[in-house]
Structures are given as C-alpha cells and as structure tokens.
Amino acid sequence: MTVILRGLAWLRDSIANQAERFFLRVLAAGPVPRHVAFVMDGNRRYARKQQKQVQEGHVDGYVALRRMLEVCLRLNVQCVSAYAFSIENFKRSEDEVEALMKLAEEKLLELCEHGDILDEYGVRLNVLGRTSLLPEKVQLAVQKAEYMTRHNTRAILNLCMPYTSRDEITTAVESCVRNADPSNPIPATFAGPDRVPDHGSRCPSKTFSRQLYLHDRHPTPPLDILVRTSGVKRLSDFLLWQCCEDTQIQISSTFWPDFGLLDFVPIILDFQRKAWGRRISL
Ligand code: FPP
Ligand code: MG
C-alpha cells in the first residue's frame, strides 16, 4: 500500500514538474526581463506565522531563493540580483547574525558544487558589497564560490551581502575621486545613470557606474524588474542607482519563503504587456 501511495505521489510531482517546465517555456517565448532583483523580505514574520525559529525562516528563505533562481534561469533571465544581507543587518541579535553567516557559508559552498544549480545552468556567482565585513570563513567561501563559477557565461547571480546602496555609491565616488584626472574640470552633479555627458568632466556618469559593486567586475544588464516581498513598500537602500527610469517596481504581499511561481507569473505577464505596449506605440 505504502509503495503504491509513494508511486502515485512521485507521478503527481513528475506531472506537475513537466507542466511547470512547459508553462515556463511558453512564457519565455515572449519578451523576458534581462535583469530581475529580489528584496527577500518577510523571513521572520513567515517563521512566526509557522511557529518556527527565526533561523528556520532564513533557511526556508534560501530554499525560496534557489526556487526563484531556477524559475528565472528557465525563463532565460540573464541576471538575478538578491539582497541577502544589508550592512544594517549586523545590528540584529548576535544569534541571528551568526546563524545567517553560517547559512551563507554553507550554502555558498553548496551552490558552487559540480552538478548543482550554478554548474547546471552555467551561472557565474558574484558576491557584492562590503565583503571585508564578513567573517573570515564566509570570505573564504565567497572566494571559492566565485572562483569555481568564474568561467560560467550563460547567466549571473549577484548575491548582495553585506550591501547598501549608499555604501555602494559612496565607495564609487571615493574611487572616482582617487582616479580623477586633475587636468579635467570637476563635474557639477551626478544626475543619474548615464545622464551626465561624458565630455569634459572628471568622473562622467559611465565611468562612475563602472565603479559600482554591480558593475565593478562584470557588466550587468539594466535592471528591468525589482520585486519586494512581504507587502512593505520600501527600497531599503537596495539598487538605488540601478533603479533607472524603466525599472518596474513590484510589491508582493507574500512573505519571501512562500514566494513562488504563482506570485511571479503575474509580474512577468505585466512586464510582457508593457513591453508589447511599447513596441506597438513605437
Ligand atoms: C529579510 O527578512 C531577510 C534577510 C535579512 C535575510 C535573507 C537571506 C536569505 C533569504 C538567505 C540567503 C542565502 C544565502 C546563500 C546568503 P526579515 O528577516 O527582515 O524578516 P521580517 O521582515 O519578517 O522581519
Ligand atoms: Mg524585514
């Protein structure tokens, strides 16, 4: 009896998996975002709701990240960026920070293993932010994971940790000032991505963008969609420079660990509707 039930469960999962693959292939035939970013919020509220430990909420959050990464890769999204740890998160309890660091170390090593998701889909991993603030063991895991995936060219996963946009922007400004050519005039303002003319300024916008964590080592495509989960309407200091005029900001009321295909499909359909609308009006 148990064997029959197990067999039926396997059959059900296998059919669901095939149906999902087929559906994603159909969706991928339309315009697909080049770069999707996730503010993975709501892990602790999810844990409270499920009567789990906070740490378990973060573990389930990691499972959701893998799930959404795979969905994006099947849709042929070129670049996925995820806010895994803000510099501000160091202010959380010692226990929570320690658990998050342990999770990061363990999962970074798991992600880059041969045969795992990054290898299977040809994804290059970048860990972006003020990585010198991470414990040494995590820094070693970062170096190993980045090294193992350095030749992958089909897609990019940017794990932003420990990151804030203000840190990214001030670091880039400092770098521009250090590299400035004193024979050129000083720019009046930084007006936004690629808005400042490249002529006659010491640190034009394009040069400035190249100093950002998200552009530093490998150019990333423009940010098409920024998803924030858990219903909170804040950017939380994430990708402020990259949220250019065409970025679609999407707020989902689902807590991150519960976020899945059913939450993401309406976001992609909305993107496709707007992309088709733009093509027709051109
Ligand atoms: C925000 O929810 C989530 C985080 C601060 C951590 C996100 C980390 C993961 C999903 C795992 C990342 C995996 C790797 C490999 C680094 P919250 O804690 O603010 O929850 P709340 O909004 O309900 O309080
Ligand atoms: Mg939160």
Side-chain angles (χ1 to χ4, degrees), residues 40-45 92 228 230 232 234:
M40 309 184 285
D41 195 29
N43 290 1
R44 293 183 297 186
R45 275 166 287 162
R92 292 191 178 189
R228 182 178 183 129
S230 89
V232 177
R234 280 189 279 121

Side-chain angles (χ1 to χ4, degrees), residues 105 108-109 112 131 134-147:
E105 183 195 351
L108 281 168
L109 296 175
C112 70
T131 48
L134 295 169
E136 210 176 313
K137 274 177 155 185
V138 184
Q139 289 190 40
L140 288 174
V142 168
Q143 283 163 21
K144 182 172 177 202
E146 289 188 334
Y147 184 79

